Amino acid sequence: MHKVIRQAGLPVLLVALLGLMIWNSALATLAAGVALFVLGIGRLEEGFRAFSGGALERWLKWSTSGLWRSLLVGVISTAMVQSSTLVTLLGIAFLSAGLINTLGGVGLVFGANLGTTSGAWLIALAGLKLNMAQLSMPMLAFGVFLARREETGWRGGGLALLGIGLLFLGIDLMKTGFSGFEGAFDLARYAVEGWAGVLLFVLIGALATVVMQSSHATLVLTLAALAAGQVQYDNALALVIGANLGSTATALFAAIGSNNAGRRIAATHLIFNLVTAGAALLLLHQLIAAVEWLADVGGLAADAHMLKLAIFHTVYNVFGLVLMLPWSPLLVRGLERWLPEEAAMADCGMLSERPRTRAKYVNDTALLHADTALKVLEQELQHLAQLSRQVVGAALYLPHDLTALPPAELHARVRQPVPLAVREDADALYERHIKGVYADIVDFLSHVDVSLLPEQQQVMMNASVAARDLVAAVKAAKHLQSNLRQQIDSSQPVIRQAYTQLREQGGLSLLELRHWLDTVDDTQGRERRLEDGEAQDQRFAETFQRDLQQHLRNRELDGWQATSLLNDLHYLLRVRRHLRRGHIGLTQRVSADEAERLEQAVNLA
């Protein structure tokens, strides 16, 4: 029953709104203005990202190494794009991807809250006095024309112009809508005095911001209603406080799909606005007195309520900064203790005894733009590579502490009996630890819809290929284990020795991969390791096949057993080559020659 009511709620709400709009044309005009304003913010954000070629994101990443620098960046960025929500979401994405530290993220959120005041001043000074509809017309015309161009720069500029035009047109319609209420009813008659009115309008402002997902839209509505005399000045101040509180909803929704690092930004945003709102309500009369004093100093008229509202919005956010900045280091330590980094999975122990594994780094928040998407994808590939090495090692019944063994000790350990208790099922391990992570990576790649530069598209393609190679290595190891499971305890010494050699070669490959990530910026070293690995594969394959031929001639093996060993040799070669190729993909810098040579190597296997 509850599900039916919830599903029917939205259609009922839409029908009710439609009825209200039909009943009163002013309300329809007001709703259209809000819709155009919110749509304009979205187009402005999209256009700025495309027009700047990711400059905003790179600037944020570069400039958030300290508190004061990130504070300034948050103020300027929010003033440029007129969206504290976008800057906060970028902060969540950057912190979740490890591109900035917690202190920089805290400063970014603080600055974004102060940067929202620029919109209030713009609208109070000119937005409701000029003919915004007339100003928007050329912007809309040029914006639509340029947004249809294929070139990223022209398209981004067109979207930005289109966004600004929609903002201006939305403001004009909201102003017209509130003016039209005069003939229908006077909202000011429903004003509530005292603290009950303050709390009621704080709640209304918060709910309006949650519904519209934009504190700027709530602020414009408040200014338009104040200019039309539809809301009292005291109640408008409460609406401003509520709008700031409601802006935390978007960040909290984004934090659900983020990791603990990204959730710190959402928590900072929530704490800042809760503390600021609570303190501002306790000292509301003192803040209003400060606004009146500043208005007198500026020579404003007593009834210049719109400019006073902009002053209050600024004083309110500056008050929050003064209140919170001294506690920033303590806040950072508390957030890092409350929301710690997820512990990395150790390379030892039984894999079958560990919880089912899913992706650790890719999340919906990182999809906001290319930099964070590529960063978390790189981290998730390293996670998948670690899991793949562990599952391959378990499939070959190699020691759990393999990465700590020198080759000589590995040689001795693989010749010892393998207890039944430590023999793990590769098929079960694939389902438990590989398939879920790979599925999450594929799903993440399918949702990357941000504009990518050509080199970023290449990196994304390399990452997709690397993930497939890592999974292919595990699947080859699964096939190898099917015969290994039956023959590791064979009564024929020749068969036991052959599988011991295959297991040892698999272990040597895993030991070799320990050094691959050290060659990220060493192209020559990476190529040398690749050539050495291919030469080692060829030498081992030739020796193994020559020995098989000798055993066949000596009647120590029959044809059936020899073909099974040859098949398992090729499975091992595929394991080694796919692992090698997947780990090259982790560097994100695969050259064309390397890719072609690896493709040929895998095809030959």
Side-chain angles (χ1 to χ4, degrees):
M1 184 64 180
H2 175 71
K3 184 177 180 180
V4 173
I5 295 175
R6 185 176 60 184
Q7 291 178 344
L10 181 59
V12 170
L13 178 61
L14 293 177
V15 171
L17 288 175
L18 179 61
L20 288 174
M21 292 177 192
I22 295 174
W23 170 68
N24 188 278
S25 61
L27 182 60
T29 303
L30 177 63
V34 173
L36 288 176
F37 187 88
V38 174
L39 182 63
I41 289 178
R43 297 290 77 75
L44 180 61
E45 294 172 0
E46 182 183 353
F48 189 87
R49 287 201 298 268
F51 175 73
S52 63
L56 173 63
E57 290 82 359
R58 292 193 296 272
W59 187 48
L60 287 174
K61 182 176 65 176
W62 177 81
S63 303
T64 48
S65 58
L67 179 62
W68 292 103
R69 182 184 293 178
S70 61
L71 179 67
L72 179 62
V73 169
V75 173
I76 296 175
S77 301
T78 304
M80 290 171 63
V81 299
Q82 286 298 295
S83 175
S84 61
T85 298
L86 172 63
V87 176
T88 302
L89 292 179
L90 288 175
I92 292 175
F94 278 126
L95 194 57
S96 68
L99 295 175
I100 63 174
N101 57 30
T102 305
L103 185 63
V106 167
L108 195 66
V109 170
F110 288 177
N113 279 274
L114 184 59
T116 58
T117 61
S118 62
W121 281 104
L122 177 64
I123 298 166
L125 289 171
L128 299 178
K129 298 178 182 178
L130 301 176
N131 189 336
M132 304 299 286
Q134 186 174 359
L135 287 175
S136 70
M137 297 306 171
M139 295 181 182
L140 292 172
F142 283 103
V144 170
F145 174 74
L146 294 176
R148 297 176 65 87
R149 297 290 297 270
E150 295 182 358
E151 298 88 342
T152 303
W154 286 111
R155 180 176 179 274
L159 287 171
L161 277 176
L162 183 61
I164 296 173
L166 289 171
L167 288 176
F168 285 178
L169 186 58
I171 292 171
D172 187 80
L173 287 177
M174 281 188 269
K175 179 176 64 175
T176 304
F178 272 116
S179 299
F181 282 150
E182 293 177 355
F185 53 88
D186 185 5
L187 294 178
R189 291 186 303 175
Y190 300 95
V192 181
E193 302 293 338
W195 282 106
V198 171
L199 296 177
L200 174 62
F201 278 85
V202 167
L203 178 61
I204 292 173
L207 290 176
T209 302
V210 170
V211 171
M212 294 184 290
Q213 294 290 290
S214 173
S215 60
H216 272 69
T218 303
L219 188 59
V220 172
L221 271 175
T222 303
L223 286 166
L226 187 61
Q230 296 294 326
V231 66
Q232 291 186 356
Y233 173 64
D234 294 342
N235 293 149
L237 298 181
L239 285 171
V240 169
I241 297 176
N244 278 43
L245 274 176
S247 66
T248 61
T250 303
L252 292 175
F253 293 151
I256 295 174
S258 181
N259 54 24
N260 278 355
R263 293 185 184 110
R264 294 176 201 148
I265 293 289
T268 299
H269 195 40
L270 179 64
I271 292 170
F272 178 89
N273 283 285
L274 284 177
V275 171
T276 303
L281 289 174
L282 290 175
L283 301 174
L284 185 59
H285 295 298
Q286 288 80 357
L287 290 178
I288 294 176
V291 170
E292 294 296 329
W293 178 79
L294 290 172
D296 290 339
V297 171
L300 298 181
D303 60 349
H305 289 146
M306 289 181 59
L307 288 173
K308 287 183 179 180
L309 188 67
I311 294 174
F312 176 80
H313 192 218
T314 303
V315 169
Y316 173 84
N317 282 284
V318 170
F319 171 69
L321 280 179
V322 172
L323 196 65
M324 294 295 298
L325 275 176
W327 300 97
S328 297
L330 184 62
L331 176 63
V332 169
R333 289 196 294 270
L335 289 173
E336 290 179 344
R337 188 179 303 112
W338 177 43
L339 297 168
E341 297 287 352
E342 291 85 352
M345 186 171 63
D347 284 338
C348 57
M350 296 284 288
L351 283 173
S352 57
E353 297 175 356
R354 300 178 189 175
R356 185 176 296 274
T357 307
R358 296 303 296 261
K360 291 174 57 177
Y361 302 102
V362 295
N363 56 77
D364 293 339
T365 305
L367 291 168
L368 188 61
H369 58 85
D371 285 343
T372 52
L374 294 179
K375 180 63 177 179
V376 299
L377 185 58
E378 176 187 350
Q379 294 171 324
E380 200 61 62
L381 279 176
Q382 293 181 5
H383 179 215
L384 180 61
Q386 179 194 27
L387 291 168
S388 299
R389 294 193 301 268
Q390 292 177 307
V391 173
V392 167
L396 300 180
Y397 300 148
L398 295 172
H400 294 147
D401 56 348
L402 174 66
T403 55
L405 298 180
E409 187 170 349
L410 172 65
H411 179 79
R413 293 277 291 274
V414 296
R415 283 159 176 78
Q416 297 174 1
V418 180
L420 291 175
V422 299
R423 298 183 188 181
E424 301 193 80
D425 183 6
D427 285 300
L429 294 181
Y430 170 79
E431 295 289 334
R432 191 176 187 86
H433 297 299
I434 300 296
K435 190 172 183 178
V437 177
Y438 182 55
D440 290 338
I441 290 175
V442 171
D443 182 68
F444 181 81
L445 287 170
S446 69
H447 287 86
V448 176
D449 57 358
V450 293
S451 299
L452 297 178
L453 300 174
E455 56 270 24
Q456 293 172 330
Q457 294 176 359
Q458 185 61 49
V459 170
M460 195 76 73
M461 185 178 301
N462 290 345
S464 177
V465 172
R468 290 202 304 268
D469 282 317
L470 293 171
V471 173
V474 174
K475 290 183 176 180
K478 285 169 43 182
H479 290 298
L480 175 56
Q481 192 192 66
S482 62
N483 281 335
L484 175 63
R485 182 186 298 113
Q486 301 173 11
Q487 303 297 341
I488 190 172
D489 297 320
S490 174
S491 58
Q492 294 180 257
V494 171
I495 294 179
R496 289 202 312 271
Q497 181 183 2
Y499 278 103
T500 297
Q501 290 176 339
L502 294 177
R503 292 173 58 220
E504 182 177 5
Q505 288 299 313
L508 290 173
S509 292
L510 296 177
L511 292 178
E512 171 194 347
L513 292 174
R514 293 182 301 181
H515 307 290
W516 274 79
L517 295 181
D518 299 334
T519 63
V520 171
D521 298 314
D522 182 8
T523 303
Q524 293 181 349
R526 186 170 63 244
E527 291 179 350
R528 186 170 56 253
R529 290 181 185 278
L530 178 61
E531 293 172 356
D532 291 345
E534 291 173 354
Q536 183 181 0
D537 286 352
Q538 185 174 357
R539 287 194 301 269
F540 174 72
E542 291 174 353
T543 302
F544 192 86
Q545 293 177 76
R546 187 170 56 247
D547 291 344
L548 281 183
Q549 292 291 338
Q550 185 63 42
H551 292 313
L552 277 171
R553 284 194 294 267
N554 296 338
R555 304 290 184 178
E556 296 170 312
L557 292 174
D558 59 29
W560 187 279
Q561 294 167 328
T563 54
S564 294
L565 283 169
L566 283 174
N567 286 335
D568 289 335
L569 168 64
H570 287 291
Y571 282 135
L572 175 67
L573 294 178
R574 293 183 68 84
V575 168
R576 292 171 63 123
R577 290 166 181 168
H578 278 297
L579 279 178
R580 196 177 293 126
R581 178 173 178 168
H583 281 72
I584 284 182
L586 295 179
T587 66
Q588 305 289 349
R589 298 181 180 88
V590 183
S591 67
D593 292 340
E594 287 174 327
E596 182 179 358
R597 185 161 62 251
L598 285 167
E599 185 69 39
Q600 293 174 352
V602 172
N603 290 337
L604 289 174

